[in-house]
């Protein structure tokens, strides 16, 4: 049994591709989703993909796994898995969903892989080694487009809608243009790829956030310390962006704390 971080990166890349293909293959015959809340759903594909990913990780490495649908406990060597991020998008058959897999050792995210099966985009990063999209190195936007920063501002009903409205007002006042596309993990990967200038959400769970935050950081972005204050088990604020707007976006996001 090998134990290196590099082995885990390579394994995660192959596993994310396999997991995304399974989710894509299940999309056509999807039954009725279970509602976890009025806007939060789980499908048979979410469960099947998480079972596949968890089983393969345990068989290969014997590591702990925390997943969105089946939970799991923290450990010094733990994988954090969102089988389908953007489940609502998946249900509605848009292209904005992905598989997100992170590996955390001794409280530090070492590996982050996100696979968007709909357009075959594989985002991968190992801490200290840069971030890649289908094998090509990525970089945050650097505001190279020369116009107003365009960011995504995510929301779930874990946060009062009034707080989200207040966040949007602050973003507008601070000169941001914003979107909400339904997959926080994919939005973070796209920060890394320079396709949007930043991402902010007042609360995300670790399975939605960790892989994407490592990607954004390794692509030269500024990110908040998500794992502080028990972020692994309780979730946390998420901020990731190109450095030119780091202070401004943190200011917009932190007015509550
Ligand atoms: C959600 C999505 C959404 C984000 C929420 C997440 P799910 O995950 O990432 O964009 O705003 O915080 O819970 O339910 O689609 O896996
Ligand atoms: Ca999710």
């Amino acid at each position: 049994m090998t134990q290196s971080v590099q082995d885990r990166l390579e394994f995660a890349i192959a596993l994310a591709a396999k997991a995304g293909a399974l989710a894509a293959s299940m999309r056509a015959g999807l039954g009725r989703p279970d509602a976890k809340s009025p806007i939060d759903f789980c499908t048979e594909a979410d469960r099947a993909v998480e079972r596949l990913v968890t089983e393969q990780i345990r068989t290969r490495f014997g590591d702990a796994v925390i997943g969105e649908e089946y939970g799991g406990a923290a450990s010094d060597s733990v994988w954090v898995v969102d089988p389908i991020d953007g489940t609502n998008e998946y249900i509605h058959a848009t292209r904005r969903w992905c598989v997100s897999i992170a590996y955390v050792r001794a409280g530090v995210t070492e590996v982050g892989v996100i696979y968007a099966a709909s357009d075959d985009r594989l985002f991968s990063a190992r801490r200290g080694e840069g971030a890649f999209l289908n094998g090509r190195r990525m970089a945050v936007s650097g505001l190279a487009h020369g116009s107003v920063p365009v960011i995504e501002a995510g929301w779930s009903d874990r946060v009062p809608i009034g707080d989200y409205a207040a966040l949007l007002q602050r973003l507008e006042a601070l000169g941001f243009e914003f979107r909400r596309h339904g997959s926080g993990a994919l939005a973070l990967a796209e920060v890394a790829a320079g396709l949007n200038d930043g991402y902010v959400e007042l609360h995300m769970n670790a399975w939605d956030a960790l892989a994407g935050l490592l990607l954004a950081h390794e692509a030269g972005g500024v990110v908040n310390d998500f794992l502080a204050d028990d972020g692994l088990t309780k979730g946390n604020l998420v901020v990731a962006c190109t450095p030119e707007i780091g202070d401004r976006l943190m200011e917009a996001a932190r007015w509550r704390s």
Side-chain angles (χ1 to χ4, degrees):
M1 190 180 286
T2 49
Q3 298 293 338
S4 80
V5 170
Q6 184 61 28
D7 287 332
R8 286 176 169 86
L9 170 67
E10 288 164 18
F11 181 81
I13 289 172
L15 185 56
K18 210 181 296 178
L22 174 61
S25 75
M26 293 181 74
R27 174 63 195 76
L30 211 58
R32 236 184 134 62
D34 300 331
K36 297 195 271 185
S37 86
I39 64 162
D40 189 8
F41 297 90
C42 176
T43 70
E44 187 43 49
D46 292 78
R47 288 187 287 263
V49 171
E50 188 166 318
R51 285 196 299 269
L52 169 85
V53 170
T54 301
E55 194 183 297
Q56 298 223 347
I57 290 170
R58 289 197 178 129
T59 304
R60 170 72 191 269
F61 297 105
D63 293 329
V65 180
I66 298 175
E68 171 157 18
E69 312 305 340
Y70 291 101
S75 137
D76 248 20
S77 185
V78 62
W79 297 69
V80 186
V81 175
D82 194 346
I84 299 179
D85 187 66
T87 299
N88 222 343
E89 299 299 308
Y90 176 78
I91 292 167
H92 287 266
T94 81
R95 302 161 73 86
R96 295 206 60 82
W97 58 271
C98 62
V99 176
S100 175
I101 300 177
Y103 171 66
V104 179
R105 177 177 279 178
V108 177
T109 309
E110 297 285 354
V111 166
V113 175
I114 287 178
Y115 181 54
S118 304
D119 46 15
D120 195 25
R121 286 187 296 164
L122 192 306
F123 303 85
S124 61
R126 177 178 165 189
R127 185 171 66 91
E129 304 286 329
F132 299 84
L133 167 53
N134 292 343
R136 295 185 61 172
R137 191 176 285 273
M138 296 189 287
V140 293
S141 77
L143 299 187
H145 45 69
S147 73
V148 61
V150 175
I151 64 159
E152 272 204 57
W155 176 74
S156 78
D157 57 4
R158 297 183 301 275
V159 169
I161 190 72
D163 287 3
Y164 182 60
L167 172 67
L168 297 185
Q169 277 181 333
R170 287 181 63 84
L171 290 172
E172 192 274 336
L174 288 165
F176 292 102
E177 160 66 305
F178 48 81
R179 309 272 188 276
R180 174 173 174 248
H181 287 312
S183 169
L186 193 51
L188 286 166
E190 290 182 347
V191 172
L195 297 172
N196 68 50
D197 300 314
Y199 187 80
V200 59
E201 183 161 345
L202 295 174
H203 179 272
M204 279 174 100
N205 287 306
W207 47 79
D208 300 314
L210 288 182
L213 284 168
L214 182 65
L215 286 161
H217 179 259
E218 289 300 321
V222 168
V223 303
N224 69 308
D225 184 4
F226 181 91
L227 288 171
D229 306 322
D230 257 346
L232 183 63
T233 52
K234 293 186 181 150
N236 213 336
L237 169 73
V238 169
V239 181
C241 60
T242 193
E244 297 78 6
I245 55 171
D247 290 346
R248 234 192 315 164
L249 194 54
M250 292 283 180
E251 184 191 335
R254 289 222 154 104
W255 92 100
R256 297 196 308 176
S257 49

